[in-house]
Amino acid sequence: MGCEYLQSCPFYNEKMDIDSGLGKIYRRSYCQGDKTQCARYMIATELGRESVPADLYPNMHDRAEQILNETK
Ligand code: SF4
């Protein structure tokens, strides 16, 4: 079990620049853990995948919140 975007998510597929240790932790806690806490996942499910900024990391909750509020 895990996030349904695993296959195509740039973050999960290491296409985003992040310290590899930190990336590993995020992949474990969000992608294979609680995806509902992932900032990218929040945007993707609420607004559609095309609305997820290329440089939004799973832990950027404030920014995700802001994007969601702006589009309401
Ligand atoms: S949990 Fe977030 S970062 Fe991980 S695969 Fe899903 S959308 Fe991507």
Side-chain angles (χ1 to χ4, degrees), residues 65-72:
E65 201 92 350
Q66 202 181 330
I67 293 167
L68 292 173
N69 285 333
E70 275 168 9
T71 47
K72 265 174 202 154

Side-chain angles (χ1 to χ4, degrees), residues 4-69:
E4 58 267 45
Y5 303 130
L6 287 183
Q7 308 268 350
S8 54
C9 180
F11 176 79
Y12 191 75
N13 292 286
E14 303 185 29
K15 302 251 163 56
M16 288 171 71
D17 191 30
I18 189 168
D19 169 74
S20 63
L22 198 56
K24 210 171 174 180
I25 292 168
Y26 287 173
R27 277 187 280 278
R28 203 179 300 139
S29 56
Y30 297 105
C31 313
Q32 291 143 0
D34 191 357
K35 64 190 179 189
T36 63
Q37 296 303 312
C38 171
R40 294 185 64 88
Y41 187 85
M42 288 172 188
I43 305 280
T45 47
E46 290 274 335
L47 307 174
R49 302 194 55 187
E50 63 287 346
S51 301
V52 182
D55 59 349
L56 185 77
Y57 286 93
N59 64 321
M60 293 181 173
H61 301 115
D62 290 349
R63 191 169 161 207
E65 201 92 350
Q66 202 181 330
I67 293 167
L68 292 173
N69 285 333

